[in-house]
Amino acid sequence: DIQMTQSPSSLSASVGDRVTITCRASQSISKYLNWYQQKPGKAPKVLIYAASNLQSGVPSRFSGSGSGTDFTLTISSLQPEDFATYYCQQSYSRPFTFGPGTKVDIK
Amino acid sequence: QLQLQESGPGLVKPSETLSLTCTVSGGSISSSSYYWGWIRQPPGKGLEWIGSIYYSGSTYYNTSLKSRVTISLDTSKNQFSLKLSSVTAADTAVFYCARIFGDTYYFDYWGQGILVTVSS
């Protein structure tokens, strides 16, 4: 199975900050990396698919990059509604696996 | 607008079989463009993919659960289902059903989730 790690596990930031979250795969997954946002009590919501493609309806302040084993999710200017937990997920091979999550809260 | 809704018992006894159904509205589960899957999340923990099914009936299961999981389709009702046998307290989780976009295998639509507690 492909193991996914994320860093940091949590971070505190202010509205307007630029935030970067890193995801690493235990082996190359090409560009088969997706990012989700989850708020408490809600289902995850896809933000980025195939490493860098913005899902329809997602604000352009979210962006993704990377390939192979190292990926990043960037929020260019953090908004109040962005405080949530973010998960990466590899879809290169089954079993599909998720990272442990990065919780973004208010500084 | 596609919608998915999980249904089933919220409480299951240890050693019994957990059974959930996902009803899809606003789209057909018979489309060749998508897979349909189940994901679970224990309270306060991360996400685990359980398995997926294609419109043809082909199934794919997480190796960690494979011996206990069955996913099936009912195209006449536009539903798909999950059965997880021999449950223990460790199977207590919120269970989500989701649509999987076929080319890049990301979960693009999710149900709201259903909490299933395993307890006697």
Coordinates of all heavy atoms in Angstrom, one line a residue, chain A residues 12-98:
Chain A
S12 N -1.5 27.2 12.9 CA -2.3 28.4 13.3 C -2.0 29.5 12.3 O -0.8 29.8 12.1 CB -2.1 28.8 14.7 OG -2.5 27.8 15.6
A13 N -3.0 30.1 11.8 CA -2.8 31.2 10.8 C -3.8 32.3 11.0 O -4.9 32.1 11.6 CB -2.7 30.7 9.4
S14 N -3.5 33.4 10.4 CA -4.5 34.6 10.4 C -5.1 34.8 9.1 O -4.6 34.4 8.0 CB -3.7 35.8 10.8 OG -3.1 35.7 12.1
V15 N -6.3 35.4 9.1 CA -7.0 35.8 7.9 C -6.0 36.6 7.0 O -5.4 37.5 7.5 CB -8.3 36.5 8.2 CG1 -8.9 37.1 6.9 CG2 -9.3 35.6 8.9
G16 N -5.9 36.2 5.8 CA -5.0 36.9 4.8 C -3.7 36.3 4.7 O -2.9 36.6 3.7
D17 N -3.3 35.3 5.5 CA -2.0 34.7 5.4 C -2.0 33.7 4.2 O -3.0 33.2 3.8 CB -1.8 33.8 6.7 CG -1.3 34.6 7.9 OD1 -1.1 35.9 7.7 OD2 -1.2 34.0 9.0
R18 N -0.8 33.5 3.7 CA -0.5 32.5 2.7 C -0.2 31.2 3.5 O 0.7 31.2 4.4 CB 0.6 32.9 1.8 CG 1.0 31.9 0.7 CD 2.1 32.4 -0.1 NE 2.5 31.6 -1.2 CZ 2.0 31.7 -2.4 NH1 1.0 32.6 -2.7 NH2 2.3 30.9 -3.4
V19 N -0.9 30.1 3.1 CA -0.7 28.9 3.8 C -0.3 27.8 2.8 O -0.9 27.7 1.8 CB -2.0 28.5 4.5 CG1 -1.9 27.0 5.0 CG2 -2.3 29.4 5.7
T20 N 0.7 27.0 3.2 CA 1.2 25.9 2.4 C 1.2 24.6 3.2 O 1.7 24.6 4.3 CB 2.6 26.2 1.8 OG1 2.5 27.3 1.0 CG2 3.1 25.0 1.0
I21 N 0.6 23.6 2.7 CA 0.5 22.2 3.3 C 1.2 21.3 2.3 O 1.0 21.3 1.1 CB -0.9 21.8 3.5 CG1 -1.6 22.8 4.5 CG2 -1.0 20.4 4.0 CD1 -3.1 22.6 4.5
T22 N 2.0 20.4 2.9 CA 2.8 19.5 2.1 C 2.3 18.0 2.3 O 1.9 17.7 3.4 CB 4.3 19.5 2.5 OG1 4.8 20.8 2.2 CG2 5.1 18.5 1.7
C23 N 2.3 17.3 1.2 CA 1.9 15.9 1.2 C 3.0 15.1 0.5 O 3.5 15.5 -0.6 CB 0.6 15.7 0.5 SG 0.0 14.0 0.3
R24 N 3.4 14.0 1.1 CA 4.4 13.1 0.5 C 3.9 11.7 0.4 O 3.3 11.1 1.3 CB 5.7 13.2 1.3 CG 6.8 12.3 0.8 CD 8.1 12.6 1.5 NE 8.6 13.9 0.9 CZ 9.7 14.6 1.4 NH1 10.4 14.0 2.4 NH2 10.1 15.7 0.9
A25 N 4.2 11.1 -0.7 CA 3.8 9.7 -1.0 C 5.0 8.8 -0.8 O 6.2 9.2 -1.0 CB 3.3 9.5 -2.4
S26 N 4.8 7.5 -0.3 CA 5.9 6.6 -0.1 C 6.5 6.1 -1.4 O 7.6 5.4 -1.3 CB 5.4 5.4 0.8 OG 4.3 4.7 0.1
Q27 N 5.9 6.3 -2.5 CA 6.4 5.9 -3.8 C 5.8 6.9 -4.8 O 4.9 7.6 -4.5 CB 6.1 4.5 -4.2 CG 4.7 4.2 -4.4 CD 4.4 2.7 -4.7 OE1 4.5 1.9 -3.8 NE2 4.1 2.4 -5.9
S28 N 6.4 6.9 -6.0 CA 5.9 7.8 -7.0 C 4.4 7.5 -7.4 O 4.1 6.4 -7.6 CB 6.7 7.7 -8.3 OG 6.2 8.6 -9.3
I29 N 3.6 8.6 -7.4 CA 2.2 8.5 -7.8 C 1.9 9.4 -9.0 O 0.7 9.7 -9.2 CB 1.3 8.8 -6.6 CG1 1.5 10.2 -6.0 CG2 1.5 7.7 -5.5 CD1 0.5 10.6 -5.0
S30 N 3.0 9.7 -9.7 CA 2.8 10.6 -10.9 C 2.0 11.9 -10.4 O 2.4 12.6 -9.5 CB 2.0 9.9 -12.0 OG 1.9 10.7 -13.1
K31 N 0.9 12.2 -11.0 CA 0.1 13.3 -10.6 C -1.3 12.9 -10.0 O -2.2 13.7 -10.0 CB -0.1 14.3 -11.8 CG 1.1 15.0 -12.2 CD 0.8 16.3 -13.0 CE 2.1 17.1 -13.1 NZ 1.8 18.5 -13.5
Y32 N -1.4 11.6 -9.6 CA -2.6 11.1 -9.0 C -2.8 11.5 -7.6 O -2.8 10.6 -6.7 CB -2.7 9.6 -9.2 CG -3.0 9.2 -10.7 CD1 -1.9 9.1 -11.6 CD2 -4.2 9.1 -11.2 CE1 -2.1 8.7 -12.9 CE2 -4.5 8.7 -12.5 CZ -3.4 8.5 -13.3 OH -3.6 8.2 -14.6
L33 N -2.9 12.8 -7.3 CA -3.0 13.3 -5.9 C -4.1 14.3 -5.9 O -4.2 15.2 -6.7 CB -1.6 14.0 -5.6 CG -1.4 14.4 -4.1 CD1 -2.1 15.6 -3.7 CD2 -1.7 13.2 -3.1
N34 N -5.0 14.1 -4.9 CA -6.2 15.0 -4.7 C -6.2 15.6 -3.3 O -5.6 15.0 -2.4 CB -7.4 14.1 -4.9 CG -7.3 13.3 -6.2 OD1 -7.1 13.8 -7.3 ND2 -7.4 11.9 -6.0
W35 N -6.8 16.7 -3.2 CA -6.9 17.5 -1.9 C -8.3 17.7 -1.6 O -9.1 18.1 -2.4 CB -6.2 18.8 -2.0 CG -4.7 18.8 -2.1 CD1 -3.9 18.9 -3.3 CD2 -3.7 18.7 -1.0 NE1 -2.6 18.8 -2.9 CE2 -2.4 18.7 -1.6 CE3 -3.9 18.5 0.3 CZ2 -1.3 18.6 -0.8 CZ3 -2.7 18.4 1.1 CH2 -1.5 18.5 0.6
Y36 N -8.6 17.5 -0.3 CA -10.0 17.7 0.2 C -9.9 18.6 1.4 O -9.0 18.6 2.2 CB -10.6 16.3 0.7 CG -10.7 15.3 -0.4 CD1 -9.6 14.5 -0.8 CD2 -11.8 15.2 -1.2 CE1 -9.6 13.6 -1.8 CE2 -11.9 14.3 -2.2 CZ -10.8 13.5 -2.5 OH -10.8 12.6 -3.6
Q37 N -11.0 19.3 1.6 CA -11.3 20.1 2.8 C -12.4 19.5 3.6 O -13.4 19.2 3.0 CB -11.6 21.5 2.4 CG -12.0 22.5 3.5 CD -12.7 23.7 3.0 OE1 -13.8 23.7 2.5 NE2 -12.0 24.9 3.1
Q38 N -12.2 19.4 4.9 CA -13.3 18.9 5.7 C -13.5 19.8 6.9 O -12.6 20.1 7.7 CB -13.0 17.5 6.2 CG -14.2 16.8 7.0 CD -14.0 15.4 7.4 OE1 -12.9 15.1 7.8 NE2 -15.0 14.6 7.4
K39 N -14.8 20.2 7.1 CA -15.2 21.0 8.3 C -15.9 20.1 9.3 O -16.4 19.0 8.9 CB -16.1 22.1 7.8 CG -15.3 23.1 6.9 CD -16.2 24.3 6.5 CE -15.3 25.2 5.6 NZ -16.1 26.4 5.1
P40 N -15.9 20.4 10.5 CA -16.4 19.6 11.6 C -17.9 19.1 11.3 O -18.7 20.0 10.9 CB -16.4 20.4 12.8 CG -15.2 21.3 12.6 CD -15.3 21.6 11.1
G41 N -18.1 17.9 11.4 CA -19.5 17.3 11.1 C -19.9 17.3 9.7 O -21.1 17.0 9.4
K42 N -19.0 17.6 8.8 CA -19.4 17.6 7.4 C -18.6 16.6 6.6 O -17.5 16.2 7.0 CB -19.2 19.0 6.8 CG -20.0 20.1 7.4 CD -21.4 19.9 7.2 CE -22.2 21.1 7.7 NZ -23.7 20.9 7.5
A43 N -19.1 16.2 5.4 CA -18.3 15.4 4.5 C -17.1 16.2 3.9 O -17.2 17.4 3.7 CB -19.2 14.8 3.4
P44 N -16.1 15.5 3.5 CA -15.0 16.1 2.8 C -15.5 16.7 1.5 O -16.5 16.2 0.9 CB -14.0 15.0 2.6 CG -14.2 14.0 3.7 CD -15.7 14.1 3.9
K45 N -14.8 17.7 1.0 CA -15.1 18.4 -0.2 C -13.8 18.4 -1.1 O -12.8 18.9 -0.5 CB -15.6 19.8 0.0 CG -15.8 20.7 -1.2 CD -16.1 22.1 -0.7 CE -15.9 23.1 -1.8 NZ -16.1 24.5 -1.4
V46 N -13.9 18.0 -2.3 CA -12.7 18.0 -3.1 C -12.3 19.5 -3.5 O -13.2 20.3 -3.9 CB -12.8 17.1 -4.4 CG1 -13.9 17.6 -5.3 CG2 -11.4 17.0 -5.1
L47 N -11.1 19.8 -3.4 CA -10.6 21.1 -3.8 C -9.8 21.1 -5.1 O -10.0 21.8 -6.0 CB -9.7 21.7 -2.7 CG -10.3 21.9 -1.3 CD1 -9.2 22.3 -0.4 CD2 -11.4 22.9 -1.4
I48 N -8.8 20.1 -5.1 CA -7.9 20.0 -6.2 C -7.8 18.5 -6.6 O -7.8 17.6 -5.7 CB -6.5 20.4 -5.8 CG1 -6.4 21.8 -5.3 CG2 -5.4 20.1 -6.9 CD1 -6.5 22.9 -6.4
Y49 N -7.8 18.2 -7.9 CA -7.7 16.8 -8.4 C -6.5 16.8 -9.3 O -6.2 17.8 -10.0 CB -9.0 16.3 -8.9 CG -9.4 17.0 -10.2 CD1 -9.0 16.5 -11.5 CD2 -10.2 18.1 -10.2 CE1 -9.4 17.1 -12.6 CE2 -10.6 18.7 -11.3 CZ -10.2 18.2 -12.5 OH -10.6 18.9 -13.7
A50 N -5.9 15.6 -9.5 CA -4.8 15.4 -10.3 C -3.7 16.4 -10.1 O -3.2 17.0 -11.0 CB -5.2 15.3 -11.8
A51 N -3.4 16.7 -8.8 CA -2.3 17.5 -8.3 C -2.5 19.0 -8.5 O -2.2 19.7 -7.6 CB -1.0 17.1 -9.0
S52 N -3.1 19.4 -9.6 CA -3.1 20.9 -9.8 C -4.4 21.4 -10.5 O -4.4 22.6 -10.8 CB -1.9 21.3 -10.7 OG -2.0 20.6 -12.0
N53 N -5.4 20.6 -10.6 CA -6.6 21.0 -11.3 C -7.7 21.4 -10.2 O -8.0 20.6 -9.3 CB -7.2 19.8 -12.1 CG -6.3 19.5 -13.3 OD1 -6.4 20.1 -14.3 ND2 -5.4 18.5 -13.1
L54 N -8.1 22.6 -10.4 CA -9.1 23.2 -9.4 C -10.5 22.7 -9.7 O -11.0 22.8 -10.9 CB -9.1 24.7 -9.6 CG -9.8 25.5 -8.5 CD1 -9.1 25.4 -7.1 CD2 -9.9 27.0 -8.9
Q55 N -11.1 22.1 -8.7 CA -12.4 21.5 -8.9 C -13.4 22.7 -9.2 O -13.2 23.8 -8.6 CB -12.9 20.8 -7.7 CG -14.3 20.2 -7.7 CD -14.6 19.1 -8.7 OE1 -13.7 18.8 -9.5 NE2 -15.7 18.5 -8.6
S56 N -14.4 22.5 -10.0 CA -15.4 23.5 -10.4 C -16.0 24.1 -9.1 O -16.4 23.3 -8.2 CB -16.4 22.9 -11.3 OG -17.4 23.8 -11.5
G57 N -16.1 25.4 -9.0 CA -16.7 26.0 -7.9 C -15.8 26.3 -6.7 O -16.2 27.0 -5.8
V58 N -14.6 25.9 -6.8 CA -13.6 26.1 -5.7 C -12.9 27.4 -5.9 O -12.5 27.7 -7.1 CB -12.6 24.9 -5.6 CG1 -11.5 25.3 -4.6 CG2 -13.3 23.7 -5.2
P59 N -12.8 28.3 -4.9 CA -12.2 29.6 -5.1 C -10.7 29.5 -5.6 O -10.0 28.5 -5.3 CB -12.2 30.2 -3.7 CG -13.3 29.5 -3.0 CD -13.3 28.1 -3.6
S60 N -10.3 30.4 -6.4 CA -9.0 30.4 -7.1 C -7.9 30.6 -6.1 O -6.7 30.5 -6.5 CB -8.9 31.4 -8.2 OG -9.2 32.7 -7.7
R61 N -8.1 31.0 -4.8 CA -7.1 31.1 -3.9 C -6.4 29.8 -3.5 O -5.4 29.7 -2.9 CB -7.5 31.9 -2.6 CG -8.6 31.1 -1.8 CD -9.0 32.0 -0.6 NE -10.1 31.3 0.2 CZ -11.4 31.5 -0.1 NH1 -11.8 32.2 -1.1 NH2 -12.3 30.9 0.7
F62 N -7.1 28.7 -3.9 CA -6.6 27.4 -3.6 C -5.8 26.9 -4.9 O -6.3 27.1 -6.0 CB -7.7 26.4 -3.4 CG -8.4 26.5 -2.1 CD1 -9.6 27.3 -2.0 CD2 -7.9 26.0 -0.9 CE1 -10.2 27.5 -0.8 CE2 -8.5 26.1 0.3 CZ -9.7 26.9 0.4
S63 N -4.6 26.4 -4.7 CA -3.9 25.9 -5.8 C -3.1 24.7 -5.3 O -2.8 24.5 -4.1 CB -3.0 26.9 -6.4 OG -2.0 27.3 -5.5
G64 N -2.7 23.8 -6.3 CA -2.0 22.6 -6.0 C -0.8 22.4 -7.0 O -0.9 22.9 -8.1
S65 N 0.2 21.8 -6.5 CA 1.4 21.6 -7.4 C 2.1 20.3 -6.9 O 1.8 19.8 -5.8 CB 2.4 22.7 -7.4 OG 2.9 22.9 -6.1
G66 N 3.0 19.8 -7.8 CA 3.8 18.7 -7.5 C 3.6 17.5 -8.4 O 2.6 17.5 -9.2
S67 N 4.5 16.6 -8.3 CA 4.4 15.3 -9.1 C 5.4 14.3 -8.5 O 6.3 14.7 -7.8 CB 4.6 15.5 -10.6 OG 5.9 15.9 -10.8
G68 N 5.1 13.1 -8.8 CA 6.0 12.0 -8.2 C 5.7 11.7 -6.8 O 4.7 11.0 -6.5
T69 N 6.5 12.2 -5.8 CA 6.2 11.9 -4.4 C 5.9 13.1 -3.6 O 5.4 13.0 -2.4 CB 7.4 11.2 -3.8 OG1 8.6 12.1 -3.9 CG2 7.7 9.9 -4.5
D70 N 6.1 14.3 -4.1 CA 6.0 15.5 -3.2 C 5.0 16.5 -3.8 O 5.1 16.9 -5.0 CB 7.3 16.2 -3.1 CG 8.3 15.4 -2.3 OD1 7.9 14.8 -1.3 OD2 9.5 15.3 -2.7
F71 N 4.1 16.9 -3.0 CA 2.9 17.8 -3.5 C 2.7 18.9 -2.4 O 3.0 18.7 -1.2 CB 1.7 16.9 -3.6 CG 1.8 15.8 -4.6 CD1 2.4 14.6 -4.2 CD2 1.5 15.9 -5.9 CE1 2.6 13.5 -5.1 CE2 1.7 14.9 -6.8 CZ 2.2 13.7 -6.4
T72 N 2.1 20.0 -2.9 CA 1.7 21.1 -2.0 C 0.4 21.6 -2.3 O -0.1 21.6 -3.5 CB 2.7 22.2 -2.0 OG1 2.8 22.7 -3.4 CG2 4.1 21.8 -1.6
L73 N -0.3 22.0 -1.3 CA -1.6 22.7 -1.4 C -1.3 24.1 -0.9 O -0.8 24.2 0.3 CB -2.7 22.1 -0.6 CG -4.0 22.8 -0.5 CD1 -4.7 22.9 -1.8 CD2 -4.9 22.2 0.6
T74 N -1.7 25.1 -1.6 CA -1.4 26.5 -1.2 C -2.8 27.3 -1.1 O -3.6 27.1 -2.1 CB -0.5 27.2 -2.1 OG1 0.8 26.5 -2.1 CG2 -0.2 28.7 -1.7
I75 N -3.0 28.0 -0.1 CA -4.1 28.9 0.0 C -3.4 30.3 0.0 O -2.7 30.6 0.9 CB -4.9 28.7 1.3 CG1 -5.3 27.2 1.5 CG2 -6.1 29.6 1.3 CD1 -5.9 26.9 2.8
S76 N -3.7 31.1 -1.0 CA -2.9 32.3 -1.2 C -3.3 33.4 -0.2 O -2.4 34.2 0.2 CB -3.2 32.8 -2.6 OG -4.6 33.1 -2.8
S77 N -4.5 33.4 0.2 CA -5.0 34.4 1.2 C -6.1 33.8 2.0 O -7.2 33.7 1.6 CB -5.4 35.7 0.5 OG -5.9 36.6 1.5
L78 N -5.7 33.3 3.2 CA -6.7 32.6 4.0 C -7.9 33.4 4.4 O -7.8 34.5 4.8 CB -5.9 32.1 5.3 CG -6.5 31.0 6.1 CD1 -6.5 29.7 5.3 CD2 -5.8 30.8 7.4
Q79 N -9.0 32.8 4.2 CA -10.3 33.4 4.5 C -10.9 32.7 5.7 O -10.6 31.6 6.0 CB -11.3 33.3 3.3 CG -10.7 34.1 2.1 CD -10.5 35.6 2.4 OE1 -11.4 36.3 2.8 NE2 -9.2 36.0 2.3
P80 N -11.9 33.4 6.4 CA -12.5 32.8 7.6 C -13.1 31.4 7.4 O -13.0 30.5 8.2 CB -13.6 33.8 8.0 CG -13.1 35.1 7.5 CD -12.4 34.7 6.2
E81 N -13.6 31.2 6.2 CA -14.3 29.9 5.9 C -13.3 28.8 5.5 O -13.7 27.6 5.3 CB -15.3 30.1 4.7 CG -14.7 30.5 3.4 CD -14.7 32.1 3.3 OE1 -14.7 32.8 4.3 OE2 -14.8 32.5 2.1
D82 N -12.0 29.1 5.5 CA -11.0 28.1 5.2 C -10.5 27.4 6.4 O -9.7 26.4 6.2 CB -9.8 28.8 4.5 CG -10.2 29.5 3.2 OD1 -11.3 29.1 2.6 OD2 -9.5 30.4 2.7
F83 N -10.9 27.8 7.6 CA -10.4 27.1 8.8 C -11.1 25.7 8.8 O -12.3 25.6 8.9 CB -10.7 27.9 10.0 CG -9.8 29.1 10.1 CD1 -10.3 30.3 9.6 CD2 -8.5 29.1 10.5 CE1 -9.5 31.5 9.6 CE2 -7.7 30.2 10.5 CZ -8.2 31.4 10.0
A84 N -10.3 24.6 8.7 CA -10.8 23.3 8.4 C -9.6 22.3 8.5 O -8.5 22.7 8.8 CB -11.5 23.2 7.1
T85 N -9.9 21.1 8.3 CA -8.8 20.1 8.1 C -8.7 19.7 6.7 O -9.7 19.5 6.0 CB -9.2 18.8 9.0 OG1 -9.3 19.2 10.3 CG2 -8.1 17.8 8.8
Y86 N -7.5 19.6 6.2 CA -7.2 19.3 4.8 C -6.5 17.9 4.7 O -5.6 17.6 5.4 CB -6.3 20.4 4.2 CG -7.0 21.7 4.2 CD1 -7.1 22.5 5.3 CD2 -7.7 22.1 3.0 CE1 -7.8 23.7 5.2 CE2 -8.4 23.3 3.0 CZ -8.4 24.1 4.1 OH -9.1 25.3 4.1
Y87 N -7.0 17.1 3.7 CA -6.5 15.8 3.5 C -6.0 15.6 2.1 O -6.6 16.1 1.1 CB -7.5 14.7 3.7 CG -8.0 14.6 5.1 CD1 -9.2 15.3 5.6 CD2 -7.4 13.7 6.0 CE1 -9.6 15.1 6.9 CE2 -7.9 13.6 7.3 CZ -9.0 14.3 7.7 OH -9.4 14.1 9.0
C88 N -4.9 15.0 1.9 CA -4.5 14.6 0.6 C -4.9 13.1 0.4 O -5.1 12.4 1.4 CB -3.0 14.8 0.3 SG -1.9 13.9 1.4
Q89 N -5.0 12.7 -0.9 CA -5.4 11.3 -1.2 C -4.7 10.9 -2.5 O -4.8 11.6 -3.5 CB -6.9 11.2 -1.3 CG -7.4 9.9 -1.8 CD -8.2 9.9 -3.1 OE1 -8.7 10.9 -3.5 NE2 -8.2 8.8 -3.8
Q90 N -4.1 9.7 -2.5 CA -3.5 9.2 -3.7 C -4.5 8.3 -4.4 O -5.2 7.5 -3.8 CB -2.2 8.5 -3.5 CG -2.3 7.2 -2.7 CD -2.6 6.0 -3.6 OE1 -2.6 6.0 -4.8 NE2 -3.0 4.9 -2.9
S91 N -4.6 8.5 -5.8 CA -5.5 7.7 -6.6 C -4.7 7.0 -7.7 O -5.2 6.7 -8.7 CB -6.6 8.5 -7.2 OG -6.2 9.7 -7.8
Y92 N -3.4 6.8 -7.4 CA -2.5 6.1 -8.4 C -2.8 4.6 -8.4 O -2.8 4.0 -9.5 CB -1.1 6.4 -8.0 CG -0.1 5.8 -8.9 CD1 0.2 6.3 -10.1 CD2 0.6 4.6 -8.5 CE1 1.2 5.7 -11.0 CE2 1.6 4.0 -9.3 CZ 1.8 4.6 -10.5 OH 2.8 4.0 -11.4
S93 N -3.0 4.0 -7.2 CA -3.3 2.6 -7.1 C -4.1 2.3 -5.9 O -4.1 3.0 -4.9 CB -1.9 1.8 -7.1 OG -1.3 2.0 -5.8
R94 N -4.9 1.2 -6.1 CA -5.7 0.7 -5.0 C -4.8 -0.1 -4.0 O -3.9 -0.8 -4.5 CB -6.9 -0.1 -5.5 CG -7.8 0.7 -6.4 CD -8.9 -0.2 -6.9 NE -9.8 0.5 -7.9 CZ -9.6 0.3 -9.2 NH1 -8.7 -0.5 -9.6 NH2 -10.4 0.9 -10.0
P95 N -5.0 0.0 -2.7 CA -6.1 0.8 -2.1 C -5.8 2.3 -2.1 O -4.7 2.7 -1.8 CB -6.1 0.2 -0.6 CG -4.7 -0.2 -0.4 CD -4.2 -0.8 -1.7
F96 N -6.8 3.0 -2.4 CA -6.6 4.5 -2.3 C -6.4 4.8 -0.9 O -7.1 4.3 0.0 CB -7.9 5.2 -2.8 CG -8.3 4.8 -4.3 CD1 -9.6 4.6 -4.6 CD2 -7.3 4.8 -5.3 CE1 -9.9 4.3 -5.9 CE2 -7.6 4.4 -6.6 CZ -8.9 4.2 -6.9
T97 N -5.4 5.7 -0.6 CA -5.1 6.1 0.7 C -5.0 7.6 0.9 O -4.7 8.3 0.0 CB -3.7 5.5 1.1 OG1 -2.8 5.7 0.0 CG2 -3.8 4.0 1.4
F98 N -5.4 8.0 2.1 CA -5.4 9.4 2.5 C -4.2 9.7 3.4 O -3.8 8.8 4.2 CB -6.7 9.7 3.3 CG -8.0 9.6 2.4 CD1 -8.6 8.4 2.2 CD2 -8.5 10.8 1.9 CE1 -9.8 8.3 1.5 CE2 -9.7 10.7 1.1 CZ -10.3 9.5 0.9

